[in-house]
Amino acid sequence: MITKTSRVEEIISQTPDKVKIFVKFGLPCLVCGEPFWGTLEELCEKYKVDVNLLLEHLNQDENKGV
């Protein structure tokens, strides 16, 4: 499960299909040209994105299998 303290680079390396969600929210990530190194919460704070909403989308596919 992805959390606020998950590192952006780990999310992308472990689940590269999630890149499209970062793009949808207008967030740069490691493969999108402007890399960001840090936690998901730090990225959301920097770009004024609702971290809880992003988490809901990032974890949505994982929750379907439970």
Side-chain angles (χ1 to χ4, degrees):
M1 176 178 248
I2 299 170
T3 68
K4 292 177 182 182
T5 59
S6 296
R7 303 200 57 79
V8 174
E9 59 270 23
E10 291 173 2
I11 297 169
I12 299 305
S13 67
Q14 293 173 5
T15 53
D17 59 310
K18 303 283 187 193
V19 168
K20 64 182 177 244
I21 297 171
F22 284 87
V23 172
K24 179 181 175 180
F25 277 81
L27 295 169
C29 55
L30 297 178
V31 297
C32 305
E34 184 184 336
F36 181 85
W37 302 91
T39 67
L40 193 63
E41 185 171 38
E42 292 167 339
L43 178 66
C44 288
E45 285 176 6
K46 181 175 182 179
Y47 289 94
K48 311 282 191 262
V49 170
D50 182 339
V51 69
N52 294 314
L53 184 59
L54 179 59
L55 280 169
E56 182 179 317
H57 284 265
L58 289 171
N59 287 313
Q60 188 170 26
D61 292 337
E62 294 174 16
N63 292 336
K64 287 181 183 175
V66 176

